[in-house]
């Protein structure tokens, strides 16, 4: 019984960690454009790390026919772009100050984050 | 609460701002949300200043100026579209290659591109046949290199214009059809199963034959889940991997649990108490079917958003007639350069913006200005790309070409405003991020509580409680709350001649604080008519109109058309005049039956030495009533004053009263002068008006009204209103306008009456209220249902909710939502107010 309780509590902890506390792997964006696949209800990769003060390019390619995926919005960066199906669209990011910038679809079902750090590595 | 505000608050804020002094540009602040985004981007496409660009790009002013020198390459189409062009010293081009059928083509194409001077890197993605080229080489050179290597290529920029729109439509249509197919399959199973249950069919397992029967149903349901609901499960899984929980997670969790539980009932009934041996296959199938249907309807509603851009692009001429010395030749529009001399013949579109050097013609600018009257152009006047040259041949100098033309700017403005328009927050989605993990935790906690403290068989109770929590917490009602109301509300609106483009517009229209009304064609008819004939020395009104119409029959002036039309309406036949002479800027004169007739403005009368006397005051009075007075003289003697005006629509006044009754602040917007605007506003009972607004400034006026936090609606009828319609929280295109404007609007009023506007707002308010009722009901249901499902009543009353009840409650909650939404069908659109 003790074991089952423990498993239950671990499951709860896992849920809390997985959905609320976890800060996942982040792909570094350097001089080369990074492709972000819009597929199956998510951005792949959804977490990107950029160096502060350097311009960078993201190439979004939408393979998800859901209308939700049609727009990508960077609300903190004055940027938004329409993503046609199966056509790469380059989003040019301006030089940014360190911080975390969200990007998402219009309804915020697809979500991603840009982590801008001084050295371009995830802190 | 304006949804835009809440949307922005949800945005992650960076720890440190790029430019703290630039509050608007600072991410994470409320000012960085879509309101300011739009206004800033919009500003950058007007004649651009270094300062504006610097703001938009997070650069210093000097940096922005430095990189914006002529000759600097474009960074990318996407960048350019977003108003962030020209920041890179080198350019990135994405080429789409055709004819590359094997992987070995990749190196051939890459090598060919790398050989082009200036190319630093060329990388081909064979999967999508695209090549990313970095360097300073122009797109033309790159395309030529690919073609030389034996393939076809075009830039992504080119395809973005028209082809992509077609492809998008095709893709959307395909997805729509797929979803409808999925819906049919899922409901094809779900509805009969649900009816079976509702009509008293046994959905429990008591013997082996029932087990086999339900096993077969379970497998069919599994097939339905795979066919119709695969995307939910894949989406849920991918979201899970990305540490997100969204609508897909809820749907997958709800339907998956219902199915898994049912399969456990079928395969291992002995694991569960007798009472709990109930299957829920119908719930799985119904939920998947209804959500698919909702998605399909959304696709349908979104489908035409790109038509406006398509229509605008269609206005652009393909070629221009270039004058080089004595030679004339047609050249592609892309090759026209600033300063070149071009000719446009009658019936042709003006290819680029320019200034007339020679010729005289009337130009139909209605597609750009919304004003129906053609404008007479002669030397020194500006002509605008996309407008139609109607009568004469014009020679003009190109002043703005390519992306700088007014038309191109309007296209960009519409694109941008459409892109930057923030979404209506989907409450259900926002909740889902917290709701699903919370429900999962509640399910686990309730299972543990039952295991530890529950009576025997505690394991069975624990499984029942956990499963019931998951089933009762199914997002079915939450998911249906909004789309069902929207579906009914949109249908109801359509009955009243109001076409609503999407659910978001419907929702926003309900919370409009300020409604901006374009004057011409919205409040007024948009077609000038003769309103007054004031006889001075004449005695017969009929004769006056006959003579003036005869005189004006040979004129191309828009006001002349109104007079001739007025004569036609009265069955008056015009006579032939001799010695017709049109005096530019003054009027016309001719001889009729030996008498010298003059018709025109004050200046003409003064030049002809006509004694006006008190008639001048009368003319002034007419002008104050928003009319254009003109004098008619015969043989140097003033006979009459004829006033022409764009009359107010007969039902504008009553419709405006309805809108005011709905609590909406009305503002009239017009390019007309103060006096006319004031007169019209007073006649229809509008207190606020903004006069002398240039077409391109309309969107900016909307933006300034939005800055106060008000939800702003815009009603207009012309293509010049398109950016303003898109910029407004809700754009209403009145049906009498051009199709282009209608396509760019969120809501189209087919009747052309402002009552359509009042109907649209009324039905939106009713629908939003209905949605709120649905969401409230769904919330209460979940909030009350989950604890009960977890067994909170058991210690007090010995009550444990069976999954049977949970399933019924779930079905009932959906039924309630749909029934409540259907109440909207009986909503009265206020015909009684129209009298």
């Amino acid at each position: 019984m003790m074991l089952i309780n423990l498993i239950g509590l671990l499951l709860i902890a896992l849920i809390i960690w997985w959905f609320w506390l976890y800060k996942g792997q982040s792909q570094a964006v350097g001089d080369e454009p990074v492709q972000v696949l819009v597929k199956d209800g998510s951005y792949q990769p959804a977490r990107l790390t950029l160096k502060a003060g350097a311009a960078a390019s993201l190439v979004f390619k939408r393979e998800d026919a859901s209308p939700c995926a049609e727009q990508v919005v960077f609300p903190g960066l004055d940027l938004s772009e329409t993503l046609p199906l199966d056509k790469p669209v380059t989003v040019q990011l301006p030089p940014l100050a360190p911080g975390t910038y969200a990007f998402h679809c219009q309804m915020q079902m697809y979500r991603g984050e840009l982590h801008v750090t001084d050295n371009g590595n995830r802190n | 609460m304006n949804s835009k505000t809440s949307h922005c608050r949800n945005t992650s804020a960076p720890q440190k701002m790029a430019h703290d002094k630039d509050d608007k540009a600072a991410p994470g602040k409320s000012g960085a949300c879509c309101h300011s985004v739009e206004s800033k981007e919009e500003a950058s496409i007007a004649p651009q200043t270094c300062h504006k660009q610097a703001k938009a790009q997070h650069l210093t002013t000097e940096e922005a100026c430095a990189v914006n020198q002529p000759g600097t390459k474009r960074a990318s189409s996407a960048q350019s579209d977003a108003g962030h062009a020209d920041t890179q010293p080198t350019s990135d081009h994405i080429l789409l290659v055709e004819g590359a059928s094997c992987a070995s083509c990749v190196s051939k194409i890459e090598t060919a591109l790398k050989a082009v001077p200036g190319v630093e890197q060329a990388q081909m993605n064979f999967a999508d046949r695209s090549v990313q080229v970095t360097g300073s080489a122009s797109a033309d050179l790159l395309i030529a290199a690919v073609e030389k290597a034996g393939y076809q290529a075009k830039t992504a920029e080119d395809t973005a214009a028209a082809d992509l729109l077609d492809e998008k439509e095709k893709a959307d249509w395909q997805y729509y059809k797929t979803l409808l197919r999925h819906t049919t399959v899922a409901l094809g199973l779900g509805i009969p199963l649900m009816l079976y249950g509702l009509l008293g069919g046994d959905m429990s397992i008591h013997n082996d034959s029932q087990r086999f029967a339900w096993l077969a149903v379970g497998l069919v349901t599994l097939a339905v889940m795979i066919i119709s609901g695969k995307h939910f499960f894949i989406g849920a899984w991918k979201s899970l991997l990305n540490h997100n929980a969204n609508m897909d997670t809820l749907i997958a969790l709800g339907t998956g649990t219902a199915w898994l539980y049912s399969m456990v009932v079928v395969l291992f009934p002995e694991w569960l108490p007798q009472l709990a041996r109930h299957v829920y296959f119908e719930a799985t199938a119904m939920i998947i079917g209804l959500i698919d249907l909702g998605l399909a309807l959304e696709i349908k509603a979104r489908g035409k958003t790109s038509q406006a851009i398509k229509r605008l692009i269609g206005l652009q001429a393909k070629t221009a007639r270039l004058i080089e010395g004595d030679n004339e030749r047609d050249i592609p529009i892309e090759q026209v350069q600033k300063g070149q001399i071009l000719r446009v013949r009658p019936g042709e579109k003006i290819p680029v913006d320019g200034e007339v050097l020679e010729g005289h013609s009337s130009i139909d600018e209605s597609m750009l200005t919304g004003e129906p009257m053609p404008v007479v152009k002669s030397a020194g006047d500006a002509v605008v790309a996309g407008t139609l040259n109607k009568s004469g041949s014009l020679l003009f100098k190109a002043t703005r070409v390519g992306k700088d033309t007014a038309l191109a700017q309007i296209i960009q403005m519409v694109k941008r405003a459409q892109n930057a328009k923030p979404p209506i927050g989907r409450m259900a989605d926002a909740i889902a991020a917290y709701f699903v993990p919370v429900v999962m935790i509640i399910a686990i906690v309730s299972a543990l509580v039952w295991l530890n403290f529950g009576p025997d068989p505690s394991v069975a109770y624990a499984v029942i409680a956990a499963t019931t929590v998951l089933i009762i917490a199914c997002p079915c009602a939450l998911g249906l709350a909004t789309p069902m109301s929207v579906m009914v509300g949109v249908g109801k609106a359509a009955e009243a001649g109001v076409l609503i483009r999407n659910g978001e517009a419907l929702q926003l229209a309900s919370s409009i604080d300020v409604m901006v009304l374009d004057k011409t064609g919205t409040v007024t008819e948009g077609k000038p008519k003769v309103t007054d004939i004031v006889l001075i020395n004449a005695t017969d009104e009929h004769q006056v109109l006959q003579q003036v119409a005869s005189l004006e029959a040979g004129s191309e002036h828009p006001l002349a058309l109104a007079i001739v039309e007025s004569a036609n309406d009265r069955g008056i036949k015009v006579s032939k005049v001799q010695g017709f002479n049109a005096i530019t800027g003054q009027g016309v004169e001719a001889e009729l039956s030996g008498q010298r007739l003059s018709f025109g403005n004050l200046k003409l009368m003064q030049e002809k030495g006509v004694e006006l006397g008190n008639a001048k005051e009368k003319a002034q009075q007419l002008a104050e009533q928003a009319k254009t007075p003109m004098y008619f003289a015969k043989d140097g003697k003033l006979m009459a004053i004829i006033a022409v005006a764009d009359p107010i629509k007969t039902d504008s006044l009553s419709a405006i009263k309805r809108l005011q009754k709905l609590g909406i602040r009305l503002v009239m917007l017009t390019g007309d002068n103060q006096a006319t605007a004031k007169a019209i506003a007073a006649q229809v009972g509008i207190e606020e008006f903004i006069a002398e607004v240039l077409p391109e400034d309309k969107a900016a006026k909307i933006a300034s009204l939005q800055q106060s936090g008000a939800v702003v609606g815009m009603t207009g009828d012309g293509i010049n209103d398109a950016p303003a319609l898109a910029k407004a929280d809700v754009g209403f295109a009145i049906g009498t306008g051009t199709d282009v404007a209608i396509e760019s609007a969120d809501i189209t009023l087919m009747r052309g009456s402002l009552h359509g506007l009042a109907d649209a707002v009324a039905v939106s308010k009713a629908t939003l209220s209905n949605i709120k009722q649905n969401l409230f009901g769904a919330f209460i249901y979940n909030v009350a249902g989950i604890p009960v499902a977890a067994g909170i009543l058991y210690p007090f009353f010995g009550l444990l909710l069976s999954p049977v009840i949970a399933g019924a409650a779930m079905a009932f909650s959906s039924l309630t939502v749909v029934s409540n939404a259907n109440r909207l069908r009986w909503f009265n659109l206020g015909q009684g107010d129209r009298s």
Side-chain angles (χ1 to χ4, degrees), chain A residues 8 11 17 36 38 43 48 54 60 69 80 84-85 89 95 103-104:
Chain A
L11 267 176
W17 174 73
V36 179
V38 187
Y43 296 120
L48 299 154
F60 281 82
S80 68
L85 206 55
V89 173
F103 61 95
H104 52 71

Side-chain angles (χ1 to χ4, degrees), chain B residues 484-498 500 506 763 767 824-825 829:
Chain B
M484 273 295 159
S485 302
V486 169
M487 201 166 98
V488 182
V490 168
K492 184 72 191 172
E495 283 171 24
V498 176
I500 297 169
L506 183 77
V763 80
T767 307
L824 275 174
R825 294 191 194 281
L829 280 173

Side-chain angles (χ1 to χ4, degrees), chain A residues 70-122:
Chain A
E70 199 178 350
Q71 306 260 329
V72 60
V73 183
F74 293 76
L77 302 181
D78 301 4
L79 277 172
S80 68
E81 196 55 69
T82 304
L83 308 177
L85 206 55
D86 296 324
K87 293 275 185 288
V89 173
T90 302
V91 174
Q92 194 76 36
L93 299 171
L96 297 169
T100 300
Y101 302 81
F103 61 95
H104 52 71
C105 73
Q106 278 192 326
M107 297 169 217
Q108 300 196 44
M109 279 180 72
Y110 299 64
R111 293 179 215 193
E113 280 180 351
L114 300 175
H115 301 285
V116 182
T117 60
D118 287 325
N119 54 11
N121 299 321
R122 187 88 172 95

